[in-house]
Amino acid sequence: MPSSFFIAGTDTEIGKTFATCALLHTARRAGLTAIGMKPVAAGAERIGDEWVNEDAARLRVASSVDPGLDDLNPICLRTAVAPHIAAAIEGARIEPAKILGAFGRLSAQADLVLVEGVGGFRVPLTDTFDTADLAVALKLPVILVVGMRLGCINHALLTAEAIAARGLAFAGWVANQIDPAMQRVTENLYALQQHLGAPCLGHVPFQPDNDPAAVRTLVLPSLTP
């Protein structure tokens, strides 16, 4: 059976959710039951009787089935700041055990679970636990979303070093074109291919319509020969 993956980013606002949704659609086209998970989210609005984070809502729509937000987004903080700060403001606790339990239940419902991190790879969740620790606790290989803009090579290489330092498998990376005016894209892609040491799973062009279902160039490592 295909593995699940932890989706990390080189920074915040570089298209992790978009890339995760595109990978979910890729898996579904391959005939897999696929669910996206947002373990921790900061920033939510009240919709009906639920507090809903925008990223979690997008993953919910892109998934094969709707497992409910309690498991898809077990830690939903209302304040749109760094998670550990939001938790302190709201008097909440980010409990890793709650996330691991939700992941186990999602895994029982799907062939594939894509777990999207928050911000970059090393975002504090508590005083002693960050998103890199979460990836280790989940024991998942990492797919890195590289936001294609000036500075992306440095951010990508530093993140790859952090992934290796945690003893995690680096399954591949997705180049997501977030800056339509970026210069020398081809040269930047070549440098990333030369230095990252993991396969490129696709280059997503700038998407003004923001439709992940339209992206057909991505692959999942477990689906390749």
Side-chain angles (χ1 to χ4, degrees):
M1 295 298 292
S3 299
S4 295
F5 298 92
F6 188 88
I7 312 298
T10 49
D11 202 349
T12 191
E13 300 297 330
I14 49 80
K16 285 192 310 301
T17 302
F18 183 89
T20 303
C21 288
L23 288 166
L24 288 169
H25 285 290
T26 296
R28 292 174 62 182
R29 286 194 295 269
L32 300 176
T33 302
I35 295 175
M37 180 185 188
K38 185 79 174 178
V40 180
E45 62 175 322
R46 188 79 174 179
I47 300 177
D49 59 354
E50 295 180 310
W51 283 96
V52 180
N53 169 265
E54 181 181 0
D55 291 349
R58 291 170 64 190
L59 294 175
R60 193 181 198 179
V61 170
S63 297
S64 301
V65 297
D66 181 2
L69 288 175
D70 285 347
D71 284 341
L72 189 151
N73 180 205
I75 308 294
C76 182
L77 302 162
R78 303 173 192 178
T79 312
V81 295
H84 71 291
I85 298 174
I89 291 170
E90 298 173 24
R93 293 183 61 189
I94 298 176
E95 299 178 353
K98 184 176 182 179
I99 296 171
L100 297 178
F103 174 75
R105 290 187 291 274
L106 294 180
S107 297
Q109 300 176 56
D111 301 318
L112 176 74
V113 180
L114 297 182
V115 181
E116 182 193 336
V118 55
F121 183 59
R122 290 211 55 198
V123 173
L125 299 177
T126 72
D127 290 342
T128 59
F129 193 86
D130 65 16
T131 49
D133 295 318
L134 177 59
V136 171
L138 291 167
K139 301 178 181 178
L140 295 181
V142 178
I143 293 174
L144 178 62
V145 180
V146 180
M148 296 301 293
R149 63 185 177 200
L150 186 64
C152 65
I153 297 173
N154 176 66
H155 287 132
L157 296 181
L158 287 174
T159 306
E161 287 185 1
I163 292 168
R166 295 303 179 104
L168 294 166
F170 186 10
W173 55 281
V174 175
N176 188 37
Q177 191 74 42
I178 58 174
D179 179 4
M182 182 183 182
Q183 298 184 43
R184 302 293 181 178
V185 173
T186 300
E187 291 89 335
N188 277 267
L189 285 170
Y190 180 76
L192 290 166
Q193 289 167 342
Q194 291 295 107
H195 295 290
L196 272 180
C200 179
L201 308 179
H203 174 209
V204 181
F206 181 70
Q207 297 283 324
D209 296 329
N210 203 32
D211 180 9
V215 177
R216 298 184 179 274
T217 58
L218 300 187
V219 296
L220 283 163
S222 57
L223 302 183
T224 57

